Amino acid sequence: MHVIGGGLAGLTAAITAAESGARVTLYEGHRTLGGRARTTDGPHRANEGPHALYRRGPHWTWLARRDLLGPVVSVPPLEGLRFRFRRDGAARRVPPAALLRLARRSARTAPVDADFRSWATGQIGEEGARAAANFAAAALFHHDPGALSARFVQERFRRLASLPPEARYPAGGWARLIERMAAHARGLGVAVETGARVDTRRLGELARTGPVVVATSLDSARALLADASLTWESGRTVLVDLALRTRRGDAFVVSDLDAPGWLERFTAQDPGLAPAGEQLLQGQFPIGSDARRAEGAARAEDLLDLGFPGWRERTTWRVEALADGRTGAVDRPGTTWRDRPSVVRGDGVFLAGDQVAAPGLLSEVSFTSGLEAAMLAVKAAGRRSGSGVDLNRT
């Protein structure tokens, strides 16, 4: 069996198939594994955008059972008191009461066919609905969360607003989690080839010798499979990472309720992500299709002004990037995850990734689709051999 892509989805698929007895080769086009779960090298260890594991998610238990979860850290209670909300241009210490009321509403009460803005307005009023949509953008990476399916947004809003918080953080960054998964895959016999780009011709060759799981971005899968139907909406987000010299009293998170935006001090829970005396911040600021990156960067600076006084003079490192179509699927009214591109592509080819037809929040979609793709591929291998998995051919 073959897996194309060495990110979270690909490694999940490779491990699952190998545990089922398949002989697996994983191909990664880059020199390092990880995909969007990579972490920068060097003194400032930043993920590709703000990342967190959610302990109620499906991959939490799967990783823990295999001793792959590793050291994870949560937010120290005192840091939770340094949560700030930008509302009407000012920093507030507590969220609007309307957000707390909406957080108690089950996602099952939110209709799939209505947009979140209309539904939430009926629940908590127009101002509260706008604030809730912007708060939820932390898990959506989309510039207009209110226009998305009410069920889709409410599911994510409730998990973001849960108390105690669900979020946990792999110590040392997500690259550490990827390293553990890769080591486990190799221990199961998975052959890992990095710097190994697979084109359409090579894909055809691989598919003749065993099932193939394509665990790449949807854009890459569309080109590789020459399948124009592989499309789904994602966000367009400015990612801002910076390190500041430490100052007591800085905010932990500044959540923008006036517009979609989120800024988090990751060294609050994991001081080793930056050199001694510095703190690492990561933020994401969704922008529309016609907006320029500078617009998102300017909104980031607005939040920095509110939560990190004197940040300009304290900055020791700064990186900006535009993530376009690389932040997971979003569902418009009338659609759910079931309407996204199917895992099954035919002719022994299966699809995995964060814009595929699988449930979950953020990285959970990659995990769930990788698991499903691998199990289906193993079954396909068994049908080829006539009984069980043909280890020689896969």
Side-chain angles (χ1 to χ4, degrees):
M1 183 178 132
H2 312 282
V3 177
I4 301 173
L8 181 62
L11 285 167
T12 299
I15 290 169
T16 301
E19 289 177 342
S20 300
R23 182 180 299 171
V24 183
T25 301
L26 183 149
Y27 307 87
E28 167 56 49
H30 293 86
R31 293 293 177 185
T32 57
L33 300 173
R36 288 192 57 243
R38 291 188 184 93
T39 304
T40 55
D41 294 326
H44 305 104
R45 298 189 58 79
N47 300 315
E48 188 176 335
H51 284 8
L53 279 168
Y54 289 82
R55 59 184 174 84
R56 295 177 189 166
H59 54 350
W60 181 273
T61 301
W62 188 89
L63 290 166
R65 284 176 177 169
R66 290 159 179 79
D67 199 25
L68 298 176
L69 197 56
V72 292
V73 293
S74 56
V75 179
L78 288 179
E79 292 292 350
L81 300 177
R82 297 189 176 99
F83 209 118
R84 299 290 181 267
F85 301 88
R86 180 178 185 249
R87 186 157 52 99
D88 299 328
R92 318 280 182 167
R93 293 179 178 271
V94 295
L99 266 65
L100 303 178
R101 293 201 305 273
L102 192 66
R104 294 195 291 267
R105 302 282 199 280
S106 168
R108 291 189 295 272
T109 66
V112 169
D113 294 338
D115 67 88
F116 180 78
R117 183 181 298 109
S118 299
W119 174 77
T121 295
Q123 303 293 312
I124 56 174
E126 184 176 352
E127 183 178 347
R130 182 171 57 252
N134 291 333
F135 178 80
L140 301 172
F141 293 83
H142 192 271
H143 71 286
D144 187 10
L148 304 177
S149 165
R151 176 76 58 85
F152 173 79
V153 177
Q154 182 65 6
E155 286 173 345
R156 284 140 186 81
F157 175 78
R158 275 179 55 86
R159 293 187 68 185
L160 275 177
S162 66
L163 291 174
E166 275 196 59
R168 298 292 185 272
Y169 306 83
W174 274 58
R176 296 288 183 255
L177 174 61
I178 293 298
E179 289 168 4
R180 289 189 290 272
M181 293 182 72
H184 185 63
R186 290 187 175 100
L188 292 168
V190 175
V192 178
E193 298 185 12
T194 56
R197 293 191 177 276
V198 175
D199 57 18
T200 302
R201 180 187 63 80
R202 177 64 171 146
L203 173 66
E205 295 173 354
L206 296 177
R208 286 193 289 272
T209 64
V212 179
V213 174
V214 176
T216 67
S217 70
L218 202 58
D219 284 348
S220 295
R222 183 169 60 250
L224 183 61
L225 299 176
D227 186 347
S229 72
L230 294 180
T231 61
W232 198 261
E233 186 176 359
S234 184
R236 185 167 183 263
T237 303
V238 177
L239 304 177
V240 178
D241 306 330
L242 70 163
L244 308 179
R245 286 188 291 275
T246 300
R247 172 189 173 277
R248 292 188 64 184
D250 278 345
F252 162 52
V253 163
V254 186
S255 172
D256 196 344
L257 303 185
D258 293 341
W262 182 272
L263 189 65
E264 183 170 347
R265 177 164 52 89
F266 276 73
T267 40
Q269 55 268 28
D270 190 358
L273 298 177
E278 296 184 25
Q279 49 196 19
L280 175 70
L281 280 62
Q282 293 201 260
Q284 58 100 347
F285 300 86
I287 58 175
S289 59
D290 298 328
R292 301 177 63 183
R293 191 174 80 178
E295 178 182 319
R299 287 180 15 226
E301 295 188 356
D302 288 343
L303 295 198
L304 286 163
D305 288 338
L306 289 177
F308 302 87
W311 67 269
R312 290 175 178 82
E313 294 73 26
R314 293 193 282 140
T315 299
T316 59
W317 177 77
R318 179 171 176 170
V319 176
E320 294 176 11
L322 178 62
D324 196 348
R326 297 188 292 116
T327 53
V330 296
D331 296 340
R332 290 281 178 177
T335 65
T336 72
W337 62 265
R338 294 178 176 83
D339 299 299
R340 301 173 196 160
S342 173
V343 169
V344 180
R345 305 314 305 173
D347 298 325
V349 176
F350 304 89
L351 193 62
D354 62 8
Q355 289 180 266
V356 175
L361 169 67
L362 297 172
S363 63
E364 295 169 6
V365 179
S366 290
F367 166 79
T368 307
S369 62
L371 198 68
E372 178 73 6
M375 292 189 295
L376 292 171
V378 168
K379 289 181 181 179
R383 288 194 296 271
R384 284 190 182 212
S385 65
S387 61
V389 178
D390 184 350
L391 300 181
N392 293 318
R393 290 182 59 81
T394 57

